[in-house]
Amino acid sequence: MTTRHSFGALSLLVLLSSAAPIKAQTRDQRLALARWGDSLTHAQDAAALAAFGPVVGAGDKAVRQVRRALYNARRGEVSHDRGALEKALFDFDQASARHRDWPWPDYGLALVFKTLHFEDFPAIGSSGQYPGEAHSEATWRHLRDAIKRDPAMPEARHLALSLMIAAGDRELPATQEDLFNRMLGTPSPEADLQLVFGRVLRARKQFDSSLMAFDRALGVGGDRAQLQLERARSLRSLGDSTAAVAAYWDGAAHPSEIGRRAYRTDLAWILSPDSLGGFDAQSSDSLLPWLTRFWAERDMWSAKTTNGRLAEHLRRWAVAFANFRVSTPWRRTMYTRVEFGYEGLSSCISSYSSFYRQLSRMPPEDPADIRSREPLLDHRGLVYLRHGDPVGRTALVSVTGPTDVGSVGSPVLTYNGSPSYGMSVDIAATRASTASWLYWIEGAWRVLFFRGSKALGTNAPTTLTSFLPLDWIQEWLTVAKMAPEYAPAASKLATYTGMQPVSCLSEVKKAVQKSRRDGTVGISTDSDSPPITHPWNGVLEIFGVGGSPGNDGRALITFALPTTRLQTTPRDSGRVGIDVRFRLSAYNRATGAIVQIDTVRHFAATTAAQANQFLSGLFEVPLTPGAWDVSVLARQETDSSGAYALSRARPIAIGASLALSDVVTGTGNGRILWPTAQGAFPLNPLSAWTPKASLEIYYEIYGLADGTSYRATLELRPADGQKTKSVIIGTTGQSAGLTTHVRRTVGLTQLKPGGYRLIVTVTHGAESATSERPIQIVKP
């Protein structure tokens, strides 16, 4: 009995049973063309192909024209000769008219139109092509017709499946759907067909059925690496992170060439092409260790345990592809980026075309993808893959956003937790195609703005914009509630009645500049910060000190957590207890070493929490010499609130060259004391000083022999870079050996409140070393 596979609930029809009987090719004719076509594919250049010239016209008269057409098709492909390709199209089209029962002419036409597409030749109404039909569309149509005539034709099936696999998880248009159904209706379908079937089922959110299809593909010899990556995605879509991670690593341990491309494309969703150079440089044997270190580094950055960041990546993939795939993508190839005039015209705001060019390059492309001009994910999907769930977001009631696989969240999206006020408000904007997402990226709060476009769809906020349109007053006011830095511009836009264009207002220009900076950061980085929807707004500082012989290296971590944001537990005698969980993580980029410490700090207080009260303390994490990435995560009972900080490339000195530790900052009346070789140093966990306070600094100099003279320069430069307002202090000293401990006190009365860069430079002869730290001076 013949077994047929169908989509079942997908309601996609298999039409083979209704096809009328046709006159089949003879077996000898079919075999002759198959051998001829196979031989031609092994000719890699024009010289090798020339050997086939003398026998092009040999064989049965009925197959002679198809042989000549296959020869010209291959000649045009290897020599990039459109003339030869047009000859092939003419002969295939003629053969199709003479032999309507043969699949070979239509297969040949598909082969040539595929070549014309990848050669990027313009459509000129060639033989076998409908008026206005693109080369890619002609490719699919003729493949469908070839399969209609012979569903089992190996050559046509191989070409169709290779193109479908390269196209990824895109929705199938009617022609491809019909083609795929016909192929699926044959007995014992091949592994690649099951792979495509699994993707289609997953796109329809039939995750368990998609997993079964991938398992069948493995059972009939499909590529293990590629299929295990697909299984990992379906397993995570089913909510099984443990099995998904295991499948991912099993595939990575068997890196075929096909699987290697699949894993590279997966990383390309979150990495720029330049960053993929490390992956490309790996041999098959070194690929698994490279991936292991890649994800271990991100585990540390996100303060997760082993494979935590990989599990999050698979979760993001599942959410993005379940919720942000572009509908009918074949209709959206007209615009290379977004439509002309997307940002409008403004007298005081320049165009930002570089932003949209960079954005258009973000989706990874398979060079074998004939549908590469069709978008796969909208811009929300691109951002979600890089940064995950936003901390806050705004949208109209009719617009929904994802929370996890299989769910698109509540009808009204709510912002919980402001970076400044910690408020909780329901937000509803006025346009169904508008949304704003708030993230903590690269040490700052950033809002990314989305709205509809013809390029990706107007029925949802599909497209990232570098700033909100200036006449969308309600949206500006809504965003200002979530991100107070937009409040001055929103207020001005809402009340302005002057003659000057609103785009020229200083508040508006400043907001647009911030929006554009944030948008650029959003699409050029991938975020590993743990999602904290209720940030404590605490202060976490990380310093690297020590590392020379006899001076153990360590990361010094200070914290100041506002008590009003923390949960308390009643204790005896009217006291309250506060317990905070800390995860301290460090990663050595050179060696791959990982240090991770989980601990709980217990605090007691006599009264209830009050404003401007903080819990403060310090940690020391022993580290060997080298450059370390260090992160700290503070939480209590839930994962929805807390504080997080990451500091990259913290130096732990090594070697004989002149080097500096981080500059550790403190204040004269600091209560948190840190023991040093020069006595207790009073730290300042809040990292803020009044002009009347003293700035205490401590740093270590390495690599100078005992008694060597050096010069140290200390500069306090405004964060805006205005050197004319800097304070510079120069001193000289002598080294005390391989490690010199330096402590200084600096008065701040000359400085106005604001942000400053504390820069320490030590020079000896032609050698110099610099360490820098941001500080904040506040009003008393």
Side-chain angles (χ1 to χ4, degrees):
M1 183 177 69
T2 299
T3 301
R4 294 185 182 274
H5 300 273
S6 69
F7 280 92
L10 299 180
S11 301
L12 298 177
L13 302 179
V14 178
L15 304 178
L16 293 178
S17 59
S18 63
I22 58 175
K23 180 182 177 182
Q25 277 179 294
T26 67
R27 180 176 182 275
D28 289 343
Q29 289 172 334
R30 188 167 59 249
L31 290 176
L33 289 175
R35 293 191 190 101
W36 178 250
D38 183 64
S39 299
L40 291 172
T41 59
H42 289 84
Q44 299 301 314
D45 52 42
L49 197 61
F52 292 85
V55 292
V56 167
D60 186 278
K61 181 179 180 180
V63 302
R64 195 176 303 158
Q65 192 171 32
V66 178
R67 284 169 58 92
R68 182 171 67 246
L70 286 170
Y71 171 78
N72 280 321
R74 183 58 177 163
R75 183 165 67 89
E77 182 180 15
V78 299
S79 60
H80 313 287
D81 180 359
R82 177 156 196 167
L85 294 172
E86 291 293 341
K87 289 180 181 178
L89 288 176
F90 178 82
D91 281 336
F92 280 133
D93 196 32
Q94 292 294 308
S96 178
R98 291 192 182 96
H99 309 287
R100 297 188 180 278
D101 59 325
W102 286 18
W104 274 93
D106 275 301
Y107 163 70
L109 285 165
L111 203 64
V112 178
F113 281 119
K114 182 204 77 165
T115 301
L116 288 168
H117 171 86
F118 286 116
E119 292 289 342
D120 207 22
F121 287 131
I124 57 175
S126 303
S127 297
Q129 188 174 21
Y130 293 156
E133 186 179 42
H135 293 146
S136 59
E137 293 172 327
T139 301
W140 292 114
R141 178 170 59 82
H142 285 293
L143 273 175
R144 180 201 59 190
D145 291 347
I147 291 297
K148 185 186 297 185
R149 290 171 171 79
D150 183 3
M153 182 182 183
E155 295 80 5
R157 293 177 70 92
H158 174 75
L159 177 58
L161 289 174
S162 64
L163 294 176
M164 286 182 177
I165 290 174
D169 289 64
R170 289 183 182 86
E171 180 184 351
L172 296 179
T175 301
Q176 294 174 44
E177 188 177 283
D178 185 15
L179 165 63
F180 183 71
N181 261 330
R182 294 175 183 279
M183 296 172 64
L184 197 66
T186 58
S188 302
E190 53 270 60
D192 285 349
L193 186 66
Q194 289 299 318
L195 190 157
V196 176
F197 189 29
R199 285 179 174 175
V200 172
L201 290 167
R202 184 173 58 208
R204 295 312 207 292
K205 300 186 180 180
Q206 297 184 22
F207 304 124
D208 51 350
S209 297
S210 75
L211 192 60
M212 292 174 63
F214 296 138
D215 288 341
R216 285 196 298 271
L218 276 173
V220 294
D223 184 85
R224 183 169 176 176
Q226 185 178 43
L227 286 165
Q228 285 289 46
L229 179 58
E230 298 290 0
R231 292 185 74 255
R233 293 164 174 170
S234 290
L235 285 164
R236 185 55 192 83
S237 298
L238 288 166
D240 192 343
S241 290
T242 301
V245 168
Y248 180 96
W249 287 121
D250 182 73
H254 300 84
S256 63
E257 190 57 36
I258 294 174
R260 184 189 185 97
R261 290 200 304 270
Y263 275 77
R264 187 187 192 279
T265 302
D266 181 66
L267 292 179
W269 285 109
I270 62 173
L271 296 180
S272 65
D274 292 343
S275 300
L276 286 167
F279 179 95
D280 296 335
Q282 305 307 309
S283 65
S284 295
D285 292 338
S286 61
L287 190 59
L288 180 60
W290 187 90
L291 284 170
T292 301
R293 289 187 60 175
F294 175 88
W295 290 114
E297 184 178 56
R298 279 159 172 74
D299 285 336
M300 191 288 308
W301 289 351
S302 57
K304 294 182 181 292
T305 55
T306 302
N307 289 324
R309 182 60 182 85
L310 172 58
E312 168 65 9
H313 171 70
L314 293 171
R315 187 196 71 83
R316 292 181 189 179
W317 193 99
V319 171
F321 277 80
N323 295 280
F324 299 131
R325 289 196 313 145
V326 174
S327 176
T328 59
W330 53 89
R331 297 178 182 174
R332 309 188 184 280
T333 58
M334 236 173 127
Y335 307 101
T336 56
R337 300 190 297 275
V338 294
E339 71 268 27
F340 176 77
Y342 180 62
E343 290 190 341
L345 299 176
S346 171
S347 56
C348 290
I349 300 176
S350 62
S351 65
Y352 204 42
S353 58
S354 60
F355 173 77
Y356 294 105
R357 283 196 298 269
Q358 182 179 355
L359 189 59
S360 69
R361 292 193 295 266
M362 283 179 63
E365 290 187 7
D366 187 322
D369 182 9
I370 201 171
R371 300 180 63 184
S372 61
R373 293 188 178 95
E374 302 174 21
L376 176 50
L377 293 179
D378 68 35
H379 293 167
R380 293 171 300 170
L382 300 183
V383 169
Y384 194 90
L385 279 167
R386 286 177 173 258
H387 303 293
D389 290 298
V391 175
R393 56 188 153 196
T394 70
L396 188 66
V397 173
S398 62
V399 177
T400 56
T403 55
D404 206 338
V405 179
S407 170
V408 292
S410 58
V412 180
L413 298 179
T414 303
Y415 172 71
N416 294 307
S418 160
S420 296
Y421 307 123
M423 60 185 172
S424 177
V425 294
D426 290 344
I427 294 177
T430 60
R431 288 171 173 81
S433 60
T434 306
S436 305
W437 290 4
L438 175 71
Y439 284 104
W440 177 263
I441 305 174
E442 295 292 312
W445 291 105
R446 306 181 192 275
V447 182
L448 305 182
F449 302 106
F450 302 88
R451 58 191 178 104
S453 75
K454 293 179 181 178
L456 296 175
T458 57
N459 61 334
T462 57
T463 310
L464 188 64
T465 178
S466 72
F467 68 94
L468 276 174
L470 302 184
D471 58 336
W472 293 14
I473 307 301
Q474 186 58 48
E475 284 84 345
W476 277 87
L477 293 171
T478 300
V479 169
K481 297 178 183 179
M482 180 172 69
E485 57 268 35
Y486 284 91
S491 177
K492 199 74 172 180
L493 288 170
T495 60
Y496 184 67
T497 58
M499 299 298 293
Q500 183 185 27
V502 293
S503 61
C504 300
L505 299 175
S506 60
E507 298 90 342
V508 173
K509 289 195 292 185
K510 183 177 180 181
V512 170
Q513 289 168 0
K514 173 176 171 50
S515 175
R516 287 180 162 180
R517 287 195 304 269
D518 292 349
T520 300
V521 172
I523 65 175
S524 60
T525 63
D526 62 298
S527 174
D528 299 291
S529 302
I532 300 176
T533 55
H534 299 277
W536 289 344
N537 298 328
V539 181
L540 301 171
E541 294 286 342
I542 301 170
F543 309 88
V545 294
S548 61
N551 181 24
D552 294 336
R554 58 209 180 277
L556 171 65
I557 300 169
T558 65
F559 62 88
L561 307 176
T563 56
T564 54
R565 298 292 184 89
L566 303 177
Q567 300 175 7
T568 61
T569 303
R571 299 280 175 85
D572 295 336
S573 304
R575 297 167 64 86
V576 295
I578 304 175
D579 298 334
V580 182
R581 295 183 288 117
F582 290 88
R583 171 167 289 166
L584 315 172
S585 305
Y587 176 80
N588 188 305
R589 295 186 176 189
T591 66
I594 298 174
V595 176
Q596 194 165 74
I597 299 172
D598 287 288
T599 186
V600 179
R601 284 287 176 92
H602 304 280
F603 301 89
T606 57
T607 60
Q610 299 179 11
N612 299 321
Q613 286 185 338
F614 294 84
L615 297 180
S616 301
L618 65 87
F619 294 99
E620 290 189 285
V621 180
L623 299 176
T624 57
W628 290 79
D629 296 338
V630 182
S631 69
V632 54
L633 174 65
R635 283 182 172 167
Q636 288 191 297
E637 294 180 0
T638 69
D639 288 342
S640 63
S641 62
Y644 168 82
L646 167 66
S647 183
R648 291 188 172 95
R650 297 281 38 89
I652 305 299
I654 187 172
S657 300
L658 175 62
L660 290 183
S661 70
D662 277 336
V663 178
V664 183
T665 53
T667 185
N669 58 355
R671 295 184 178 183
I672 306 299
L673 301 179
W674 174 52
T676 72
Q678 292 193 340
F681 181 82
L683 296 166
N684 181 7
L686 284 172
S687 292
W689 291 258
T690 66
K692 295 182 179 181
S694 64
L695 170 64
E696 301 289 329
I697 66 172
Y698 170 89
Y699 59 92
E700 297 172 356
I701 305 173
Y702 314 116
L704 296 180
D706 189 10
T708 302
S709 297
Y710 66 85
R711 178 173 178 79
T713 301
L714 184 151
E715 180 180 2
L716 283 165
R717 182 186 303 173
D720 59 13
Q722 297 186 43
K723 293 185 179 182
T724 56
K725 298 181 181 180
S726 297
V727 172
I728 302 176
I729 303 172
T731 62
T732 58
Q734 286 190 328
S735 170
L738 293 178
T739 299
T740 300
H741 306 268
V742 181
R743 180 171 173 177
R744 294 281 186 267
T745 301
V746 181
L748 302 175
T749 55
Q750 303 177 56
L751 300 175
K752 295 181 179 180
Y756 290 83
R757 295 164 56 197
L758 170 61
I759 306 170
V760 174
T761 302
V762 173
T763 58
H764 166 66
E767 287 187 296
S768 67
T770 299
S771 185
E772 183 175 325
R773 197 89 194 163
I775 69 168
Q776 191 74 22
I777 299 178
V778 297
K779 294 180 180 180

